Amino acid sequence: MPTRTSKEKTKFETLLENQTKAEKDQWSPFASQEEWDLAVWLMKNVGQRSTDKFLKLQATRDRMNLSFHNNHAFLKKVDALPTGPQWECEVITTPGDRAGEDGEIVGEEMELWYRNPVECIRELIGNPAFSNSISFVPERVYTSNDGDDRIYDEMWTGDWWWNTQDKLPDGAAIAPLILASDKTQLSQFQGDKKAWPVYLTIGNILKEVRHCPSAHATLLLGYLPVPKLDCYSDATCSLASYQLFHHCMSRILEPLIKAGQDGVEMVCANGFIRLIHPILAAYVADYPEQCLVSCCMENRCPRCTVDPKNRGDFVQSPDHNVALTLNTLSAHKDDYDPQRFSDDGIRAIYEPFWRNLPYCNIFECFTPDLLHQLHKGLFKDHIVKWCTAIVGEAELDARFKAMSGYPGLRHFSKGISFVSQWTGMEHREMQRIFLGVLAGVVDEDVVTVVRAALDFIYYAQLQMHTSTTLAALKSCLETFHRHKDIFIKLDIRKHFNIPKIHCLLHYFASIQALGSNDGYNSESPERLHIDFAKDAFRASNRKDYHEQMALWLQRHEAMWQREAYIKWLKDQLELGTHAEQYYDPDPELSADEADGPSDETDTHSDMGIATSFRYHVAKTPPFRGVSVEFLSANFSATDLIPALTTFLLQHQPCPILPNTFDHFDLYKQIVITLPPNAFLNNRPITNRIRTTPAVPHSGRRPGSPAIFDTALIIDDPAKHRSLGGLAGLCVAQIRMIFLLPPQFGTYPHPLIYVEWFTPLGIPDPLTGMYIISRSTRYHRPNSAIISAHRIVRACHLMGKCGTSIAKEWTTNTVIEKGKKFYLNPYIHVDTFTAINVQ
């Protein structure tokens, strides 16, 4: 296991010591905190020309008394800040094979901009901002003491780290490199400017921190050249571009050969010195780039030796062997055994960049690509396309248009055939309701295949896996392959020899080796393109832009580092603790707060029924003094008085009974805070439940329909307390959230007027979803008054229909007019795990 040899000052502690000796404060070289805050704002939001104009304004000069008065002086201050690893530029010349007009062979020069990867690792591993978010030892974690159900989440919980650690000398520590590369367009509307960034981070850092752009836990390692290679003929241009890629990557990663073999002493984030071995562990790329890295043809698997004609089968083939691949390349270079070279589908790249990297098996480095393989590939490009061919665009659009609403759920008001530009967000929104859309209109085998695919997608994106969830993931893929031939029978497909379907076979081994898939999401590099490529390019003059982009990034990194140092220093001086971890806000929480309760909220625990749940309501009810007549007409609270009478008799005996002359104070919504889900992250999850009446059209302001959401409510507290999950819960539609009128006494919680649905029972064996209907009593809705603390979570119901959807169904009326409903487990990954993972 890794050992700590000694302790030295971290770079922040060294900077503090130097500033103290020089009698400078943390804002230096800026004159004050106000000047520093202005500098941060200018760097983040204002271009160089506008900065120069702003600083030259007479009002700025007279009132702000700055130590810099133009952009040049401002940037000199920025350049005086400590920054990250320095940039290097190497000119690469490729001779070409095409003769020019003078008969001479034409060549092409290009620039390779890069940084030393060892210094980048030193920068990350020694950053005190990550001191509470970093690990150096592998772990085996289990759900219980019996050790039967293993947990896979962070990289250090996987087998790769354990296996590699055993190959190193005692006391050595691993820095698992995670590389990502992705070509991106820079110019907009016109021009053909492109960049090919290569990103680097390390698996020692928590994946949640790595994926937070503001944490700056991923560094830009270099810009690969994107030449046109006009000096090559059409027959050789592609191969030349592949060889150029590997040559450039070899130059960038060359320092890793000695460092990975012998180790490098580094001062870590907590100040201890460790012997660090930087080893390539994961490579995040889309399918074409994976083939480029592995030197294989695009009709082959970049990871295994599967026959290109059998990629649609549920058969696990042996992985590529590094030594065997290099031997094959060497033999082909010497014109030996060309048939084997052709059979293996290898490209003639005789010096791949990974050939000398120690302890690296490049074929096992390729990680699942959730965006391109699952959301866009398996689901959008295949499942949706096949099902559209079966159902027809018109019927499928009608079903999407009539889908019931849910807070945060996108309503495809025109269906899906009119969506012109698809992103990962649209793919996920469709997945949340797709099974409910198809149920009843397609063959049972089609439903089985779609359900298996959706289950696989939802299991694959869990942020923590166990042996149990991995078994479920594999079972979903087996079910998919067992029933997929229905599309051949329906003449939708001729074969399933599809690379993105074959890639799913490698998910299990990847998770077991490197941890959960969210640690290697290809969406992270695409997000980083904004900061490290697109914004940097826009700040340039579009000529020799790579050099300007590198300088722009170096200046911004200097500002980021100083911001981190100031935060660290504040924590040291005021709290005596290390800097807090960086986390992005919870997207769902932010969405809820955008429309949610006011800043002043009441927060209540649930008084023992389910102690992990809390609710929030506005401090003051927005609807005050509402009459029973209005509630009956606009909230459909037709049995409010008898329901409230029953509640008072059971829970709060009172000499006064409710009547039709009473008035009520109502809330628009209630927000339920769920406990953190171990399969997602450590942050609470919020559900918003709305109860708003219809608003009529008024002048230029359009009207809005009534919204009465549904929720899972504790019906049997003892059963729910003992069994958990959905045990003891029942679905109800929330009609009113109100305060008990004062004449009836006081009650510690708001009250909820609900209309019950039938008990959950047993899930439908075909769809796996619970089928329920409205509960009635004496031919009237079965309504009741309950306490707000009995609400467990919001839920989504989808109308159950046959081969054609009822014409009177709309997104606003389906819950009222439908007879039977599916309880939707796919509305959120949290709901999916609550229903499917025991």
Side-chain angles (χ1 to χ4, degrees), residues 710-712 730-732 756-762 769-775 795-800 818-824:
T710 53
L712 282 164
C730 192
V731 177
W756 294 107
F757 286 77
T758 52
L760 295 178
I762 300 174
M769 297 186 289
Y770 292 95
I771 300 176
I772 58 177
S773 58
R774 286 191 177 273
S775 176
C795 67
H796 181 233
L797 300 184
M798 302 182 290
K800 183 178 183 296
K819 301 298 183 181
K820 292 185 177 182
F821 305 89
Y822 291 111
L823 176 61
N824 184 6

PDB file of all heavy atoms in Angstrom, residues 710-712 730-732 756-762 769-775 795-800 818-824:
ATOM      1  N   THR A 710     -50.052  14.177  -8.597  1.00  0.00           N
ATOM      2  CA  THR A 710     -50.278  12.957  -7.818  1.00  0.00           C
ATOM      3  C   THR A 710     -49.039  12.661  -6.969  1.00  0.00           C
ATOM      4  O   THR A 710     -47.935  13.117  -7.258  1.00  0.00           O
ATOM      5  CB  THR A 710     -50.564  11.763  -8.743  1.00  0.00           C
ATOM      6  OG1 THR A 710     -49.516  11.656  -9.718  1.00  0.00           O
ATOM      7  CG2 THR A 710     -51.894  11.950  -9.457  1.00  0.00           C
ATOM      8  N   ALA A 711     -49.243  11.870  -5.919  1.00  0.00           N
ATOM      9  CA  ALA A 711     -48.155  11.570  -4.987  1.00  0.00           C
ATOM     10  C   ALA A 711     -48.363  10.201  -4.366  1.00  0.00           C
ATOM     11  O   ALA A 711     -49.480   9.666  -4.350  1.00  0.00           O
ATOM     12  CB  ALA A 711     -48.077  12.642  -3.897  1.00  0.00           C
ATOM     13  N   LEU A 712     -47.272   9.637  -3.877  1.00  0.00           N
ATOM     14  CA  LEU A 712     -47.331   8.414  -3.078  1.00  0.00           C
ATOM     15  C   LEU A 712     -47.441   8.804  -1.618  1.00  0.00           C
ATOM     16  O   LEU A 712     -46.631   9.584  -1.110  1.00  0.00           O
ATOM     17  CB  LEU A 712     -46.078   7.568  -3.309  1.00  0.00           C
ATOM     18  CG  LEU A 712     -46.047   6.768  -4.613  1.00  0.00           C
ATOM     19  CD1 LEU A 712     -44.634   6.279  -4.924  1.00  0.00           C
ATOM     20  CD2 LEU A 712     -47.004   5.587  -4.530  1.00  0.00           C
ATOM     21  N   CYS A 730     -49.800   4.338  -1.066  1.00  0.00           N
ATOM     22  CA  CYS A 730     -50.916   4.366  -2.008  1.00  0.00           C
ATOM     23  C   CYS A 730     -50.855   5.674  -2.776  1.00  0.00           C
ATOM     24  O   CYS A 730     -50.406   6.702  -2.254  1.00  0.00           O
ATOM     25  CB  CYS A 730     -52.254   4.243  -1.270  1.00  0.00           C
ATOM     26  SG  CYS A 730     -53.671   3.931  -2.349  1.00  0.00           S
ATOM     27  N   VAL A 731     -51.282   5.638  -4.039  1.00  0.00           N
ATOM     28  CA  VAL A 731     -51.276   6.828  -4.876  1.00  0.00           C
ATOM     29  C   VAL A 731     -52.534   7.642  -4.628  1.00  0.00           C
ATOM     30  O   VAL A 731     -53.631   7.093  -4.472  1.00  0.00           O
ATOM     31  CB  VAL A 731     -51.178   6.454  -6.366  1.00  0.00           C
ATOM     32  CG1 VAL A 731     -51.257   7.696  -7.251  1.00  0.00           C
ATOM     33  CG2 VAL A 731     -49.886   5.688  -6.633  1.00  0.00           C
ATOM     34  N   ALA A 732     -52.372   8.970  -4.615  1.00  0.00           N
ATOM     35  CA  ALA A 732     -53.520   9.865  -4.473  1.00  0.00           C
ATOM     36  C   ALA A 732     -53.262  11.122  -5.281  1.00  0.00           C
ATOM     37  O   ALA A 732     -52.106  11.524  -5.485  1.00  0.00           O
ATOM     38  CB  ALA A 732     -53.766  10.224  -3.013  1.00  0.00           C
ATOM     39  N   TRP A 756     -58.141   9.198  -3.652  1.00  0.00           N
ATOM     40  CA  TRP A 756     -57.328   7.990  -3.667  1.00  0.00           C
ATOM     41  C   TRP A 756     -57.452   7.233  -4.984  1.00  0.00           C
ATOM     42  O   TRP A 756     -58.481   7.291  -5.676  1.00  0.00           O
ATOM     43  CB  TRP A 756     -57.747   7.042  -2.538  1.00  0.00           C
ATOM     44  CG  TRP A 756     -57.483   7.546  -1.162  1.00  0.00           C
ATOM     45  CD1 TRP A 756     -58.397   8.002  -0.259  1.00  0.00           C
ATOM     46  CD2 TRP A 756     -56.208   7.645  -0.515  1.00  0.00           C
ATOM     47  NE1 TRP A 756     -57.795   8.372   0.903  1.00  0.00           N
ATOM     48  CE2 TRP A 756     -56.437   8.164   0.782  1.00  0.00           C
ATOM     49  CE3 TRP A 756     -54.897   7.353  -0.895  1.00  0.00           C
ATOM     50  CZ2 TRP A 756     -55.413   8.392   1.685  1.00  0.00           C
ATOM     51  CZ3 TRP A 756     -53.875   7.576   0.006  1.00  0.00           C
ATOM     52  CH2 TRP A 756     -54.131   8.094   1.276  1.00  0.00           C
ATOM     53  N   PHE A 757     -56.382   6.520  -5.307  1.00  0.00           N
ATOM     54  CA  PHE A 757     -56.404   5.523  -6.364  1.00  0.00           C
ATOM     55  C   PHE A 757     -56.385   4.143  -5.706  1.00  0.00           C
ATOM     56  O   PHE A 757     -56.167   4.012  -4.504  1.00  0.00           O
ATOM     57  CB  PHE A 757     -55.195   5.689  -7.296  1.00  0.00           C
ATOM     58  CG  PHE A 757     -55.300   6.873  -8.209  1.00  0.00           C
ATOM     59  CD1 PHE A 757     -55.054   8.160  -7.739  1.00  0.00           C
ATOM     60  CD2 PHE A 757     -55.649   6.719  -9.533  1.00  0.00           C
ATOM     61  CE1 PHE A 757     -55.155   9.260  -8.570  1.00  0.00           C
ATOM     62  CE2 PHE A 757     -55.753   7.807 -10.389  1.00  0.00           C
ATOM     63  CZ  PHE A 757     -55.508   9.082  -9.901  1.00  0.00           C
ATOM     64  N   THR A 758     -56.616   3.116  -6.496  1.00  0.00           N
ATOM     65  CA  THR A 758     -56.663   1.761  -5.950  1.00  0.00           C
ATOM     66  C   THR A 758     -55.269   1.339  -5.464  1.00  0.00           C
ATOM     67  O   THR A 758     -54.250   1.877  -5.909  1.00  0.00           O
ATOM     68  CB  THR A 758     -57.147   0.772  -7.028  1.00  0.00           C
ATOM     69  OG1 THR A 758     -56.348   0.925  -8.209  1.00  0.00           O
ATOM     70  CG2 THR A 758     -58.605   1.034  -7.370  1.00  0.00           C
ATOM     71  N   PRO A 759     -55.197   0.361  -4.547  1.00  0.00           N
ATOM     72  CA  PRO A 759     -53.898  -0.102  -4.040  1.00  0.00           C
ATOM     73  C   PRO A 759     -52.998  -0.596  -5.165  1.00  0.00           C
ATOM     74  O   PRO A 759     -53.455  -1.023  -6.233  1.00  0.00           O
ATOM     75  CB  PRO A 759     -54.284  -1.226  -3.077  1.00  0.00           C
ATOM     76  CG  PRO A 759     -55.682  -0.916  -2.665  1.00  0.00           C
ATOM     77  CD  PRO A 759     -56.332  -0.297  -3.854  1.00  0.00           C
ATOM     78  N   LEU A 760     -51.687  -0.593  -4.912  1.00  0.00           N
ATOM     79  CA  LEU A 760     -50.711  -0.916  -5.953  1.00  0.00           C
ATOM     80  C   LEU A 760     -50.769  -2.372  -6.402  1.00  0.00           C
ATOM     81  O   LEU A 760     -50.648  -2.678  -7.586  1.00  0.00           O
ATOM     82  CB  LEU A 760     -49.298  -0.569  -5.471  1.00  0.00           C
ATOM     83  CG  LEU A 760     -49.056   0.926  -5.227  1.00  0.00           C
ATOM     84  CD1 LEU A 760     -47.650   1.165  -4.710  1.00  0.00           C
ATOM     85  CD2 LEU A 760     -49.293   1.729  -6.498  1.00  0.00           C
ATOM     86  N   GLY A 761     -50.907  -3.291  -5.497  1.00  0.00           N
ATOM     87  CA  GLY A 761     -51.009  -4.697  -5.882  1.00  0.00           C
ATOM     88  C   GLY A 761     -49.699  -5.239  -6.437  1.00  0.00           C
ATOM     89  O   GLY A 761     -48.609  -4.967  -5.936  1.00  0.00           O
ATOM     90  N   ILE A 762     -49.783  -6.003  -7.555  1.00  0.00           N
ATOM     91  CA  ILE A 762     -48.633  -6.647  -8.181  1.00  0.00           C
ATOM     92  C   ILE A 762     -48.357  -5.968  -9.519  1.00  0.00           C
ATOM     93  O   ILE A 762     -49.286  -5.694 -10.281  1.00  0.00           O
ATOM     94  CB  ILE A 762     -48.900  -8.151  -8.400  1.00  0.00           C
ATOM     95  CG1 ILE A 762     -49.176  -8.828  -7.054  1.00  0.00           C
ATOM     96  CG2 ILE A 762     -47.723  -8.823  -9.099  1.00  0.00           C
ATOM     97  CD1 ILE A 762     -49.589 -10.283  -7.180  1.00  0.00           C
ATOM     98  N   MET A 769     -44.814  -2.233 -14.700  1.00  0.00           N
ATOM     99  CA  MET A 769     -45.384  -1.062 -14.019  1.00  0.00           C
ATOM    100  C   MET A 769     -46.671  -1.446 -13.297  1.00  0.00           C
ATOM    101  O   MET A 769     -47.403  -2.337 -13.746  1.00  0.00           O
ATOM    102  CB  MET A 769     -45.660   0.058 -15.032  1.00  0.00           C
ATOM    103  CG  MET A 769     -44.411   0.591 -15.712  1.00  0.00           C
ATOM    104  SD  MET A 769     -44.703   2.025 -16.793  1.00  0.00           S
ATOM    105  CE  MET A 769     -45.576   1.272 -18.164  1.00  0.00           C
ATOM    106  N   TYR A 770     -46.951  -0.770 -12.205  1.00  0.00           N
ATOM    107  CA  TYR A 770     -48.211  -0.969 -11.490  1.00  0.00           C
ATOM    108  C   TYR A 770     -49.343  -0.324 -12.285  1.00  0.00           C
ATOM    109  O   TYR A 770     -49.194   0.777 -12.824  1.00  0.00           O
ATOM    110  CB  TYR A 770     -48.146  -0.334 -10.101  1.00  0.00           C
ATOM    111  CG  TYR A 770     -47.192  -1.021  -9.154  1.00  0.00           C
ATOM    112  CD1 TYR A 770     -45.888  -0.573  -8.996  1.00  0.00           C
ATOM    113  CD2 TYR A 770     -47.598  -2.127  -8.410  1.00  0.00           C
ATOM    114  CE1 TYR A 770     -45.004  -1.190  -8.122  1.00  0.00           C
ATOM    115  CE2 TYR A 770     -46.720  -2.756  -7.527  1.00  0.00           C
ATOM    116  CZ  TYR A 770     -45.429  -2.290  -7.399  1.00  0.00           C
ATOM    117  OH  TYR A 770     -44.555  -2.909  -6.532  1.00  0.00           O
ATOM    118  N   ILE A 771     -50.473  -1.019 -12.353  1.00  0.00           N
ATOM    119  CA  ILE A 771     -51.664  -0.493 -13.014  1.00  0.00           C
ATOM    120  C   ILE A 771     -52.698  -0.189 -11.943  1.00  0.00           C
ATOM    121  O   ILE A 771     -53.046  -1.064 -11.143  1.00  0.00           O
ATOM    122  CB  ILE A 771     -52.238  -1.489 -14.036  1.00  0.00           C
ATOM    123  CG1 ILE A 771     -51.194  -1.791 -15.119  1.00  0.00           C
ATOM    124  CG2 ILE A 771     -53.509  -0.938 -14.668  1.00  0.00           C
ATOM    125  CD1 ILE A 771     -51.646  -2.849 -16.117  1.00  0.00           C
ATOM    126  N   ILE A 772     -53.176   1.052 -11.924  1.00  0.00           N
ATOM    127  CA  ILE A 772     -54.145   1.464 -10.910  1.00  0.00           C
ATOM    128  C   ILE A 772     -55.278   2.226 -11.593  1.00  0.00           C
ATOM    129  O   ILE A 772     -55.189   2.601 -12.764  1.00  0.00           O
ATOM    130  CB  ILE A 772     -53.498   2.351  -9.826  1.00  0.00           C
ATOM    131  CG1 ILE A 772     -52.850   3.599 -10.463  1.00  0.00           C
ATOM    132  CG2 ILE A 772     -52.451   1.561  -9.032  1.00  0.00           C
ATOM    133  CD1 ILE A 772     -52.255   4.560  -9.456  1.00  0.00           C
ATOM    134  N   SER A 773     -56.330   2.436 -10.842  1.00  0.00           N
ATOM    135  CA  SER A 773     -57.467   3.234 -11.320  1.00  0.00           C
ATOM    136  C   SER A 773     -57.972   4.064 -10.153  1.00  0.00           C
ATOM    137  O   SER A 773     -57.547   3.883  -9.010  1.00  0.00           O
ATOM    138  CB  SER A 773     -58.573   2.325 -11.869  1.00  0.00           C
ATOM    139  OG  SER A 773     -59.007   1.416 -10.870  1.00  0.00           O
ATOM    140  N   ARG A 774     -58.896   4.951 -10.430  1.00  0.00           N
ATOM    141  CA  ARG A 774     -59.437   5.797  -9.360  1.00  0.00           C
ATOM    142  C   ARG A 774     -60.286   4.957  -8.400  1.00  0.00           C
ATOM    143  O   ARG A 774     -61.086   4.120  -8.827  1.00  0.00           O
ATOM    144  CB  ARG A 774     -60.269   6.934  -9.924  1.00  0.00           C
ATOM    145  CG  ARG A 774     -59.422   8.026 -10.558  1.00  0.00           C
ATOM    146  CD  ARG A 774     -60.252   9.254 -10.859  1.00  0.00           C
ATOM    147  NE  ARG A 774     -59.423  10.331 -11.396  1.00  0.00           N
ATOM    148  CZ  ARG A 774     -58.773  11.220 -10.658  1.00  0.00           C
ATOM    149  NH1 ARG A 774     -58.859  11.156  -9.340  1.00  0.00           N
ATOM    150  NH2 ARG A 774     -58.057  12.156 -11.235  1.00  0.00           N
ATOM    151  N   SER A 775     -60.105   5.206  -7.137  1.00  0.00           N
ATOM    152  CA  SER A 775     -60.912   4.535  -6.121  1.00  0.00           C
ATOM    153  C   SER A 775     -62.204   5.326  -5.916  1.00  0.00           C
ATOM    154  O   SER A 775     -62.184   6.560  -5.871  1.00  0.00           O
ATOM    155  CB  SER A 775     -60.119   4.458  -4.813  1.00  0.00           C
ATOM    156  OG  SER A 775     -60.909   3.907  -3.787  1.00  0.00           O
ATOM    157  N   CYS A 795     -45.334  11.421  -7.721  1.00  0.00           N
ATOM    158  CA  CYS A 795     -45.314  10.311  -8.677  1.00  0.00           C
ATOM    159  C   CYS A 795     -45.975  10.760  -9.970  1.00  0.00           C
ATOM    160  O   CYS A 795     -46.659  11.784 -10.019  1.00  0.00           O
ATOM    161  CB  CYS A 795     -45.988   9.068  -8.102  1.00  0.00           C
ATOM    162  SG  CYS A 795     -47.766   9.216  -7.844  1.00  0.00           S
ATOM    163  N   HIS A 796     -45.748   9.978 -11.008  1.00  0.00           N
ATOM    164  CA  HIS A 796     -46.281  10.313 -12.330  1.00  0.00           C
ATOM    165  C   HIS A 796     -47.137   9.170 -12.825  1.00  0.00           C
ATOM    166  O   HIS A 796     -46.708   8.010 -12.819  1.00  0.00           O
ATOM    167  CB  HIS A 796     -45.127  10.572 -13.305  1.00  0.00           C
ATOM    168  CG  HIS A 796     -45.592  10.949 -14.677  1.00  0.00           C
ATOM    169  ND1 HIS A 796     -45.173  10.289 -15.823  1.00  0.00           N
ATOM    170  CD2 HIS A 796     -46.436  11.915 -15.095  1.00  0.00           C
ATOM    171  CE1 HIS A 796     -45.737  10.848 -16.872  1.00  0.00           C
ATOM    172  NE2 HIS A 796     -46.504  11.833 -16.471  1.00  0.00           N
ATOM    173  N   LEU A 797     -48.363   9.492 -13.228  1.00  0.00           N
ATOM    174  CA  LEU A 797     -49.278   8.503 -13.779  1.00  0.00           C
ATOM    175  C   LEU A 797     -49.415   8.729 -15.280  1.00  0.00           C
ATOM    176  O   LEU A 797     -49.536   9.867 -15.746  1.00  0.00           O
ATOM    177  CB  LEU A 797     -50.656   8.607 -13.112  1.00  0.00           C
ATOM    178  CG  LEU A 797     -50.709   8.380 -11.601  1.00  0.00           C
ATOM    179  CD1 LEU A 797     -52.151   8.419 -11.124  1.00  0.00           C
ATOM    180  CD2 LEU A 797     -50.051   7.062 -11.215  1.00  0.00           C
ATOM    181  N   MET A 798     -49.410   7.632 -16.044  1.00  0.00           N
ATOM    182  CA  MET A 798     -49.590   7.688 -17.496  1.00  0.00           C
ATOM    183  C   MET A 798     -50.863   6.934 -17.860  1.00  0.00           C
ATOM    184  O   MET A 798     -51.076   5.809 -17.397  1.00  0.00           O
ATOM    185  CB  MET A 798     -48.391   7.060 -18.213  1.00  0.00           C
ATOM    186  CG  MET A 798     -47.065   7.701 -17.880  1.00  0.00           C
ATOM    187  SD  MET A 798     -45.654   6.974 -18.779  1.00  0.00           S
ATOM    188  CE  MET A 798     -45.556   5.358 -18.000  1.00  0.00           C
ATOM    189  N   GLY A 799     -51.699   7.562 -18.655  1.00  0.00           N
ATOM    190  CA  GLY A 799     -52.954   6.943 -19.045  1.00  0.00           C
ATOM    191  C   GLY A 799     -52.742   5.656 -19.823  1.00  0.00           C
ATOM    192  O   GLY A 799     -51.921   5.597 -20.735  1.00  0.00           O
ATOM    193  N   LYS A 800     -53.478   4.606 -19.480  1.00  0.00           N
ATOM    194  CA  LYS A 800     -53.386   3.314 -20.161  1.00  0.00           C
ATOM    195  C   LYS A 800     -54.451   3.268 -21.255  1.00  0.00           C
ATOM    196  O   LYS A 800     -55.630   3.442 -21.006  1.00  0.00           O
ATOM    197  CB  LYS A 800     -53.608   2.183 -19.167  1.00  0.00           C
ATOM    198  CG  LYS A 800     -53.458   0.773 -19.734  1.00  0.00           C
ATOM    199  CD  LYS A 800     -53.649  -0.271 -18.633  1.00  0.00           C
ATOM    200  CE  LYS A 800     -53.443  -1.687 -19.164  1.00  0.00           C
ATOM    201  NZ  LYS A 800     -54.435  -2.066 -20.162  1.00  0.00           N
ATOM    202  N   GLY A 818     -59.044   9.527 -17.947  1.00  0.00           N
ATOM    203  CA  GLY A 818     -58.556   8.170 -18.085  1.00  0.00           C
ATOM    204  C   GLY A 818     -59.214   7.225 -17.092  1.00  0.00           C
ATOM    205  O   GLY A 818     -59.667   7.627 -16.017  1.00  0.00           O
ATOM    206  N   LYS A 819     -59.264   5.934 -17.445  1.00  0.00           N
ATOM    207  CA  LYS A 819     -59.860   4.919 -16.563  1.00  0.00           C
ATOM    208  C   LYS A 819     -58.791   4.169 -15.777  1.00  0.00           C
ATOM    209  O   LYS A 819     -58.956   3.908 -14.589  1.00  0.00           O
ATOM    210  CB  LYS A 819     -60.682   3.929 -17.398  1.00  0.00           C
ATOM    211  CG  LYS A 819     -61.811   4.574 -18.192  1.00  0.00           C
ATOM    212  CD  LYS A 819     -62.835   5.242 -17.289  1.00  0.00           C
ATOM    213  CE  LYS A 819     -63.987   5.823 -18.126  1.00  0.00           C
ATOM    214  NZ  LYS A 819     -64.981   6.501 -17.265  1.00  0.00           N
ATOM    215  N   LYS A 820     -57.697   3.804 -16.459  1.00  0.00           N
ATOM    216  CA  LYS A 820     -56.608   3.086 -15.807  1.00  0.00           C
ATOM    217  C   LYS A 820     -55.298   3.807 -16.111  1.00  0.00           C
ATOM    218  O   LYS A 820     -55.163   4.479 -17.134  1.00  0.00           O
ATOM    219  CB  LYS A 820     -56.546   1.632 -16.291  1.00  0.00           C
ATOM    220  CG  LYS A 820     -57.737   0.792 -15.848  1.00  0.00           C
ATOM    221  CD  LYS A 820     -57.557  -0.667 -16.240  1.00  0.00           C
ATOM    222  CE  LYS A 820     -58.719  -1.506 -15.739  1.00  0.00           C
ATOM    223  NZ  LYS A 820     -58.553  -2.958 -16.073  1.00  0.00           N
ATOM    224  N   PHE A 821     -54.343   3.613 -15.187  1.00  0.00           N
ATOM    225  CA  PHE A 821     -53.097   4.359 -15.290  1.00  0.00           C
ATOM    226  C   PHE A 821     -51.911   3.473 -14.922  1.00  0.00           C
ATOM    227  O   PHE A 821     -52.023   2.543 -14.120  1.00  0.00           O
ATOM    228  CB  PHE A 821     -53.120   5.576 -14.348  1.00  0.00           C
ATOM    229  CG  PHE A 821     -54.291   6.478 -14.546  1.00  0.00           C
ATOM    230  CD1 PHE A 821     -55.482   6.267 -13.844  1.00  0.00           C
ATOM    231  CD2 PHE A 821     -54.231   7.535 -15.438  1.00  0.00           C
ATOM    232  CE1 PHE A 821     -56.573   7.087 -14.026  1.00  0.00           C
ATOM    233  CE2 PHE A 821     -55.321   8.362 -15.627  1.00  0.00           C
ATOM    234  CZ  PHE A 821     -56.494   8.145 -14.925  1.00  0.00           C
ATOM    235  N   TYR A 822     -50.767   3.798 -15.546  1.00  0.00           N
ATOM    236  CA  TYR A 822     -49.505   3.173 -15.169  1.00  0.00           C
ATOM    237  C   TYR A 822     -48.792   4.093 -14.168  1.00  0.00           C
ATOM    238  O   TYR A 822     -48.717   5.311 -14.376  1.00  0.00           O
ATOM    239  CB  TYR A 822     -48.589   2.994 -16.380  1.00  0.00           C
ATOM    240  CG  TYR A 822     -49.056   1.972 -17.382  1.00  0.00           C
ATOM    241  CD1 TYR A 822     -49.492   2.357 -18.650  1.00  0.00           C
ATOM    242  CD2 TYR A 822     -49.028   0.617 -17.085  1.00  0.00           C
ATOM    243  CE1 TYR A 822     -49.898   1.422 -19.585  1.00  0.00           C
ATOM    244  CE2 TYR A 822     -49.441  -0.329 -18.020  1.00  0.00           C
ATOM    245  CZ  TYR A 822     -49.873   0.083 -19.270  1.00  0.00           C
ATOM    246  OH  TYR A 822     -50.272  -0.851 -20.189  1.00  0.00           O
ATOM    247  N   LEU A 823     -48.261   3.511 -13.107  1.00  0.00           N
ATOM    248  CA  LEU A 823     -47.373   4.247 -12.211  1.00  0.00           C
ATOM    249  C   LEU A 823     -45.989   4.223 -12.847  1.00  0.00           C
ATOM    250  O   LEU A 823     -45.372   3.173 -12.978  1.00  0.00           O
ATOM    251  CB  LEU A 823     -47.352   3.611 -10.818  1.00  0.00           C
ATOM    252  CG  LEU A 823     -46.375   4.230  -9.809  1.00  0.00           C
ATOM    253  CD1 LEU A 823     -46.711   5.696  -9.552  1.00  0.00           C
ATOM    254  CD2 LEU A 823     -46.379   3.442  -8.501  1.00  0.00           C
ATOM    255  N   ASN A 824     -45.490   5.380 -13.233  1.00  0.00           N
ATOM    256  CA  ASN A 824     -44.295   5.485 -14.063  1.00  0.00           C
ATOM    257  C   ASN A 824     -43.009   5.387 -13.224  1.00  0.00           C
ATOM    258  O   ASN A 824     -42.684   6.320 -12.491  1.00  0.00           O
ATOM    259  CB  ASN A 824     -44.323   6.819 -14.822  1.00  0.00           C
ATOM    260  CG  ASN A 824     -43.172   6.954 -15.784  1.00  0.00           C
ATOM    261  OD1 ASN A 824     -42.397   6.025 -15.980  1.00  0.00           O
ATOM    262  ND2 ASN A 824     -43.064   8.124 -16.401  1.00  0.00           N
TER     263      ASN A 824
END
